[in-house]
Amino acid sequence: MQAKKRYFILLSAAACLVLLFSLGGLQFRAARARARRQQPRSRHGPQPAGNERPWPRFPDALRPFLPAEPPDAGGYDAQLSPRQKRDANASVYKGKRCRMESCFDVALCQRTGFRVYVYPQQKGEKIAESYQNILAAIEGSRFYTSDPSQACLFVLSLDTLDRDQLSPQYVHNLRAKVQGLHLWNNGRNHLIFNLYSGTWPDYTEDVGFDIGQAMLAKASISTETFRPRFDVSIPLFSKDHPRTGGEKGSLRFNTIPPLRKYMLVFKGKRYLTGIGSDTRNALYHVHNGEDVVLLTTCKHGKDWQKHKDSRCDRDNSEYEKNLGTETLNCKEMIRGLLIRYDYREMLHNATFCLVPRGRRLGSFRFLEALQAACVPVMLSNGWELPFSEVIDWNQAAVIGDERLLLQIPSTIRSIHQDKILALRQQTQFLWEAYFSSVEKIVLTTLEIIQDRIFKHISRNSLIWNKHPGGLFVLPQYSSYLGDFPYYYANLGLKPPSKFTAVIHAVTPLVSQSQPVLKLLVAVAKSQYCAQVMSSRFLPYDNIVTDAVLSLDEDTVLSTTEVDFAFTVWQSFPERIVGYPARSHFWDNTKERWGYTSKWTNDYSMVLTGAAIYHKYYHYLYTHYLPASLKNMVDQLANCEDILMNFLVSAVTKLPPIKVTQKKQYKETMMGQTSRASRWADPDHFAQRQSCMNTFASWFGYMPLIHSQMRLDPVLFKDQVSILRKKYRDIERL
Amino acid sequence: MCASAKYNTRGPALIPRMKTKHRIYYITLFSIVLLGLIATGMFQFWPHSIESSSDWTVEKRSVHDVPVVKLLADSPIPERGDLSCRMHTCFDVYRCGFNPKNKIKVYIYSLKKYVDEYGTPVSNTISREYNELLTAISDSEFYTDDVNRACLFVPSIDVLNQNTLRIKETAQALAQLSRWDRGINHLLFNMLPGGPPDYNTALDVPRDRALLAGGGFSTWTYRQGYDVSIPVYSPLSAEVELPERVPGPRRYFILSSQMALHPEYRFDLEALQAENGESVLILDKCTNLSEGVPSVRKRCNRNQVFDYPQVLQEATFCVVLRGARLGQAVLSDVLQAGCVPVIIADSYILPFSEVLDWKRFVLIALQEIFSCLCQASMFARWFWEAYFRSVKAIALATLQIINDRIYPYAAISYEEWNDPPAIKWSSVSNPLFLPLIPPQSQGFTAIVLTYDRVESLFRVITEVSKVPSLSKLLVVWNNQNKNPPEDSLWPKIRVPLKVVRTAENKLSNRFFPYDEIETEAVLAIDDDIIMLTSDELQFGYEVWREFPDRLVGYPGRLHLWDHEMNKWKYESEWTNEVSMVLTGAAFYHKYFNYLYTYKMPGDIKNWVDAHMNCEDIAMNFLVANVTGKSVIKVTPRKKFKCPECTAIDGLSLDQTHMVERSECINKFASVFGTMPLKVVEHRADPVLYKDDFPEKLKSFPNIGSL
């Protein structure tokens, strides 16, 4: 018993001791580690003794950095006046140091607004297709003027896109030709487009003639030569890039998880020596043949064998291996096609696409990746990314550093899946908003310049980087984002709760029984109605609300129908919400778009004879669309509703919304009034058909989208007591 | 340390005596234990007391005691700042390395006093603000005390105000910093650059490749993507407390408060005043102030005296003109007052313009009057609070900008930088923001959650398989005690059928993002829903394609505010409104499965599994919260239960069910901190639904009733 007790005590004491030792040991180690960490700090530089703290808090009453009285108070004589200062800057900062303040005459624009003049094309001047497209895009835009005295920006009709002396497209004697232009004025207020500059071996960014004070819209521009807020960096696009419309982004749906078969891909040429060769030559370090596939080839140019290095044969074979065996026997040309096809396969199956610099900083890989919804991983140090002044590329690309190539795989693997999902969607938004056609690239360039000139009415970063993008959001409409129909969610706002009814009346009022009076009463009774106006063509300034209910005088509507449509619009403020719907279809036999007013299972347009939409679309219709289309509509006195539907669908990329209506609507439309009789007229119908085709060709694609649903009140035609129903009038015949 | 050594010698010596002298033994043993405890305790606290005492001496130290460094006349001077410097040419990114936190490490040199050959100090040692700035950095998570691990170096040489320093000697002082190396990765803070008469817009001190965080850059001196434009700190920010003003009209439309304006500007302003009268107020320095009143805090218009900066709160727009320098401290005062600045300074690079979107509220045309200036004022105030308020705020924003450049893929978002808290709180950013209408060809995957109702499950499978766009059927077998029926017993259908067995009988299993789901669209369907027609389901899928970011379902439900009980109530009556759809049969994006499983806030998931209820309400909350959008109810369907089943549900059962569901709504609303559900009054029907039109020509003729 005693012994047991003793042993027990001994054991417990021993346990205590062990515990103490271990505790003490831990402490000791910690103290040693602390001491070790402090050592290097004292190793360099004579440090005052006892200064163990990183930054001591000095209790002294220190002097403020800003003297109480500004030193420049008084003494104006010593200073230049602000005006003199401005003039001094303007005379000093020229050439490479040009800025809007010193090399651009803003006064020209303030007089007439932002108008762009294109020099008439000289006979015998060869202009490549890409530059033709650029000029056509400007001439088709709303900024174009043919009168140089009205212009604020001038664009040459001399092809300056390809300034590589070895290129067949190179225009000779440009210097003399430019100097000979009588409006040249040393390049002031001129905009010069350029895709390629410099040539082998050093690929300088010199365009080969004196541009004077002209602005450059240039691809592959480097941050060193880029003059901020003066030049515009544009993307490198191929000569096949469409003039208008353009291909859609290839993302059809968001996959979850957002990872694709390959993590990172690249396929392209490798330069063995010279400028820009380092990065691509080092890619094989990162290639793992599984989910990181970076294929390079040395086979290009005439004398690649001369420079070939030890890796070339291996790289070339791997580059070609992915073709598949059957293609190896084919001729060179076919092989070329198949290589491209194969590359496309890789693009569409990769989460990230490497975009390393080539000889020049920018490469075609950039736009290809963007369209393929493959998040670009930039490896091009010093490239001023396209439209970097307005586009936040961090939201759509991974900006890598050539120096840190080996970190790229771990970097992209560390990116969270939610972020990948967002990056990928953003690539698609940017592609469709600014890059898919030459016209978009040109318009974006012009809008950026316009924003610089009229600083106080320019787009903010949110407008540029959120759907629907800067080209569709005109800052002149309002400087407050809440006035546009697109940003309610971003600002945490609710769509407005009142509308203005605008009735398009043409017939004089003669009797009390005219349908327009009934309509007036019905609309005015709506609880959401703020204002009723009598003509659709009144200036929008007079409309006080954001929502517009547009009506024809012969429309028959009840208060309930109006109320219901408006509550629906509040859920979809960026779309057209209305009653009678129409549809378009592709007519295979005639190879053109067809228009139908038949009752079908789907629709793509809602007639604006009875529809609610945001007031902003009035503004966009007037200011965004070119005069040619508006004139056509005015002359025909028809198709304005089709054009409006085209516009809204082009902006939102969504169909309009049809809400339910009383049955008699159609019958009344076909009834007695003068306007309605037009609907029966076959000419009228043919006109609308041809309108659609004209509009589609201007947009460059068919923006209309079909919908198969109609929105009804929740209890619509349900077999429940009618007293339960809020919108019971809609069901009554 | 010595305490532990003591045990080592004493410990073994005790053993032989143990048998005889119990008493002594016990006493010794316990005293040893006690001693040990005390020693350990001492050890615990000893180093701390050393540290705190050293702290104490440091606190006592004054800037006057710092070591003196003598600069020889011929000691090296750095080259002038290189205007072509960019991050990829002049910044050594290897020092920053790859780290999981994506944070740069900043080292601060210790403070020294620099004197020239004759012992005259080069500059005032350090200003109050620069001390604050360095303190802020050393307190931040960017700080490192290990110079070898640092990626950015901040000298403790104060160059905030160029007027207070001797240029050549300061440059020499920079050059002899231990890691200077041509200024690579060194960051200098300067707020007042240049000096008379021409006032350069960047610091004149030669600094080679060092980064400059400067206040008052012009477009010619600012190296975009390399330098950081910072505000000029206004000491008034700390002195004066200006409470945020309630939005509303302000007395003056335009106000100019700067003293010492150039006569040319003053002339223009007076012309503006003559044009607009009372609504324009131009203030100047007071000439006839009594002694002792600080002139900085008063402004005058003729004989009228105003308190500054309080008077700024009375104006809608405040003019900020350039002086000799481009950057003006008054900008900070103006923002603090919530006044919208009208900045008139050609070529000025606005503070933090790399990340702040000044166009959200500044530089607005004066002629227009806006519907909501309150927002502009809110932005002004927010910018001040977040980035102008203190030297600390300025320093941290600068470091964050540089950090974002080095780790661009982990950069802070535009919204994070720019949105005031009120907007951050109420705004929604939809993760599926791209307007897409997925192609019909992809089809959808139906997920049937089942326990043991095999017969009804088979009926559901047969029914659902008739839907043309079905591409796969997934049965989630939630019964661990029973095996699913053999393969041969399952109905033969035209699409692949997969059975997934779960580890636990949980409702959440319905919303798990199974790898087997290969389509974007998911149809969640209960194993007893057999009344939905093929047309109805196909139509539901078509509607989902038009709204891929929403829940598209059949019977709708509503939440209501119960004024008597002061809480939310669940409503399943036939109402004119819907705010939820039941997930007994609903289409939604697979992404929401992922959100439900991994991103559900709070303990909602556990609550649902514990109560075996409300998983559909939770899903409705989740989707509405993340997208800010309402659900879409399709077709008239009001109930799932077939008429013959209603007898089973007693009225009382129904009652408890309703109470429980109401409880869920209240619980979820409190977890989300808000009520995200959106109420709408519409449902989606086929275009020709109930229209007087031949049924056989309709795409979806067979839409069932209630």
Side-chain angles (χ1 to χ4, degrees), chain A residues 28 41 54 57 60 81 97 99 228 253 403 418 425 466 707 710 712 714 718 720 724 726-727, chain B residues 1 62 91 139 143 145 219-220 224 264 346 370 415 431 520 546 574 576 599 638 681 683 685:
Chain A
F28 177 66
R41 223 167 44 206
R57 280 135 180 81
D60 308 53
S81 88
R97 314 212 59 199
R99 296 291 187 275
F253 42 83
R403 292 173 289 178
D418 276 346
Q425 291 180 77
K466 286 267 184 300
S707 172
R710 174 185 89 192
D712 295 337
V714 173
D718 285 349
V720 289
R724 269 180 181 262
K726 186 174 171 190
Y727 300 107
Chain B
M1 203 169 74
S62 138
F91 192 87
D139 287 345
Y143 181 71
D145 55 3
T219 168
W220 289 288
Q224 201 174 328
E264 207 175 280
D346 272 3
F370 297 95
E415 284 80 10
E520 236 188 319
E546 292 189 35
W574 292 11
N576 286 288
K599 296 281 179 73
K638 295 289 175 297
E681 299 182 332
R683 70 165 200 239
D685 288 328

Side-chain angles (χ1 to χ4, degrees), chain A residues 6 9-10 13 20-21 27-28 41 44 53-60 62-67 69 71-72 76 81-83 85-86 93 97 99 101 223-224 228 251-254 256 382 394 399 403 407 411 416 418-419 421-422 425-426 428 456 458-462 466-467 479-480 489-492 564 567-568 571-572 575 599-601 663 707-716 718 720 724-727, chain B residues 1 4 7 18 22 25-26 29 40 43-44 55 58-59 61-63 83 86-89 91 94 98 111 127-129 131 134 139 143 145 147 161 163 192 219-220 224 261-262 264-265 285 322 324 346-347 357 359-360 363 365 370 375 408-409 414-415 426-428 431-436 442 520 542 546-547 550 573-574 576 589-591 594 599 636 638 680-685 687 689 691 697-700:
Chain A
R6 226 176 282 148
I9 287 167
L10 185 72
L20 280 172
F21 273 120
Q27 284 285 322
F28 177 66
R41 223 167 44 206
H44 55 82
R53 283 292 299 233
W55 185 254
R57 280 135 180 81
F58 292 107
D60 308 53
L62 295 167
R63 257 188 259 183
F65 86 106
L66 188 71
E69 198 76 354
D72 44 323
Y76 300 118
S81 88
R83 197 159 290 141
K85 217 167 214 166
R86 218 160 32 229
Y93 298 113
R97 314 212 59 199
R99 296 291 187 275
E101 289 87 353
T223 47
E224 283 99 339
L251 187 71
R252 293 276 91 89
F253 42 83
N254 288 302
I256 300 297
N394 275 342
I399 321 275
R403 292 173 289 178
Q407 283 182 14
T411 301
H416 195 270
D418 276 346
K419 173 98 186 196
L421 190 68
Q425 291 180 77
Q426 190 74 4
Q428 299 297 284
H456 56 289
S458 55
R459 297 166 181 84
N460 59 43
S461 178
L462 194 93
K466 286 267 184 300
H467 178 77
S479 60
Y480 176 53
N490 300 108
L491 300 176
F564 176 66
T567 61
V568 170
S571 293
F572 307 98
R575 307 202 207 180
W599 286 28
T600 50
N601 282 297
K663 206 58 340 91
S707 172
Q708 301 193 54
M709 51 134 233
R710 174 185 89 192
L711 293 183
D712 295 337
V714 173
L715 298 178
F716 181 70
D718 285 349
V720 289
R724 269 180 181 262
K725 300 185 182 178
K726 186 174 171 190
Y727 300 107
Chain B
M1 203 169 74
S4 53
Y7 304 134
M18 202 166 58
H22 293 303
Y25 160 65
Y26 284 136
L29 191 72
T40 327
F43 215 86
Q44 280 285 3
D55 247 5
V58 168
E59 289 299 342
R61 268 195 24 236
S62 138
V63 288
L83 269 176
R86 294 293 180 273
M87 290 307 267
H88 67 279
T89 52
F91 192 87
Y94 297 113
F98 175 78
L111 187 65
S127 68
R128 189 172 67 201
E129 282 75 14
N131 184 31
L134 295 179
D139 287 345
Y143 181 71
D145 55 3
V147 74
N161 184 350
N163 289 351
L192 299 179
T219 168
W220 289 288
Q224 201 174 328
L261 282 180
H262 195 278
E264 207 175 280
Y265 281 138
K285 197 170 155 185
R322 64 166 298 162
D346 272 3
S347 75
D357 189 359
K359 287 184 177 172
R360 282 289 277 275
L363 303 167
F370 297 95
Q375 268 228 337
Y409 44 88
Y414 170 88
E415 284 80 10
S426 59
S427 68
V428 190
L432 305 171
F433 58 83
L434 195 70
L436 280 177
Q442 205 196 17
E520 236 188 319
E542 299 291 345
E546 292 189 35
F547 302 100
R550 303 193 191 209
E573 281 296 305
W574 292 11
N576 286 288
H589 197 290
K590 187 187 171 189
Y591 177 72
Y594 159 81
K599 296 281 179 73
K638 295 289 175 297
V680 290
E681 299 182 332
H682 51 253
R683 70 165 200 239
D685 288 328
V687 175
Y689 175 70
D691 275 352
L697 293 179
K698 292 183 181 178
S699 300
F700 308 101

